[in-house]
Amino acid sequence: MQLLSTLLDLVYPRTCTVCGVATGAGQGYVCWDCMAGFEVIGRPFCSVCGDPAEGMIEHDYQCSYCQRKKPGFDVARSALRYRGAVRDVLQLLKYSRQTYLVDDLLPYLSACLSSNYSRVLFDAVTFVPLYPKKERERTFNQARLLAARLAGKHGLPFLPNCLERVRYTATQTELNASARRENVSGAFAPLNRKWINGRTLLLVDDVMTTGATVDEVSRVLKEAGASGVFVLTVARG
Ligand SMILES: [Zn+2]
Ligand SMILES: [Zn+2]
């Protein structure tokens, strides 16, 4: 397999999916220059929702939203800022069916899991489901691909059927925070309660913006008896 891949790289030089420059054989699908533009999220950030904060904050801090209203999840963390090449990669993955880009994102997601949740004992990894019609149109769910690969890499059970999306929701891009909450309210339902009840779950999604979707999914998982819900996303808007 390795030899075949090396030969293919010689015949068809690999190019960066984002900017189109030729990349070295064996490298992923994103070139070093584009990857150098990935902004890894570091401290300071809200200790609950992981939202990055500006400036120097030494102590443990909670953002104004988490202080006002306790989110449905226990903790949320994201690996990268949703900007520049990260945004390009995630949009190519989602809208152009370039599912191999999961390979380039997985190391960031995996490092974020190890550095933030090393003390959490997860029973399983799950993801934010798509409405079935939407998933059929797209042919895949990017959150599911990321979650399955992450579970495999960390030797954790993967739970594909613990939740379903029971209502079609308009795309959230143009909506403000409160409209997003309303948009996803009641959109999810538990499918397999015995897999949720008493479990500590890692909930994976591609992008977290206001957190309305993962908040709602977490709330549904907690109502179905989950003892812990920890969110992990590739990017944070
Ligand atoms: Zn590039
Ligand atoms: Zn917060």
Side-chain angles (χ1 to χ4, degrees), residues 101-115:
L101 287 170
V102 166
D103 288 350
D104 294 80
L105 297 171
L106 193 65
Y108 296 94
L109 200 58
S110 172
C112 190
L113 170 61
S114 303
S115 61

Side-chain angles (χ1 to χ4, degrees), residues 16 18-19 21 31 34:
C16 171
V18 179
C19 71
V21 306
C31 75
C34 286

Side-chain angles (χ1 to χ4, degrees), residues 75-187:
V75 177
R77 293 287 184 266
S78 308
L80 302 162
R81 294 305 295 257
Y82 188 56
R83 293 176 184 158
V86 172
R87 185 200 296 251
D88 294 340
V89 171
L90 283 164
Q91 292 198 340
L92 285 164
L93 165 63
K94 197 159 159 178
Y95 301 115
S96 303
R97 300 183 182 176
Q98 316 234 18
T99 52
Y100 53 83
L101 287 170
V102 166
D103 288 350
D104 294 80
L105 297 171
L106 193 65
Y108 296 94
L109 200 58
S110 172
C112 190
L113 170 61
S114 303
S115 61
N116 289 289
Y117 294 146
S118 60
R119 291 195 207 125
V120 186
L121 287 171
F122 290 110
D123 292 304
V125 182
T126 193
F127 56 92
V128 175
L130 282 175
Y131 190 64
K133 184 168 177 280
K134 207 174 206 174
E135 184 159 354
R136 277 198 301 276
E137 283 165 6
R138 195 177 287 170
T139 70
F140 65 96
N141 174 354
Q142 69 284 353
R144 180 192 177 114
L145 293 179
L146 289 160
R149 291 287 302 281
L150 187 71
K153 192 173 164 72
H154 289 261
L156 291 165
F158 173 60
L159 265 189
N161 294 316
C162 69
L163 277 177
E164 64 180 334
R165 202 158 183 145
V166 289
R167 185 161 63 69
Y168 179 83
T169 51
T171 177
Q172 307 257 65
T173 325
E174 302 297 322
L175 305 176
N176 67 23
S178 67
R180 283 176 186 233
R181 277 175 207 290
E182 211 158 291
N183 189 37
V184 293
S185 172

Side-chain angles (χ1 to χ4, degrees), residues 46 48-51 62-63 65-66:
C46 169
V48 180
C49 73
D51 195 30
Q62 287 191 12
C63 73
Y65 179 77
C66 292

Side-chain angles (χ1 to χ4, degrees), residues 4-16:
L4 180 64
S5 143
T6 308
L7 284 171
L8 281 172
D9 282 338
L10 285 173
V11 181
Y12 305 103
R14 215 180 253 198
T15 56
C16 171

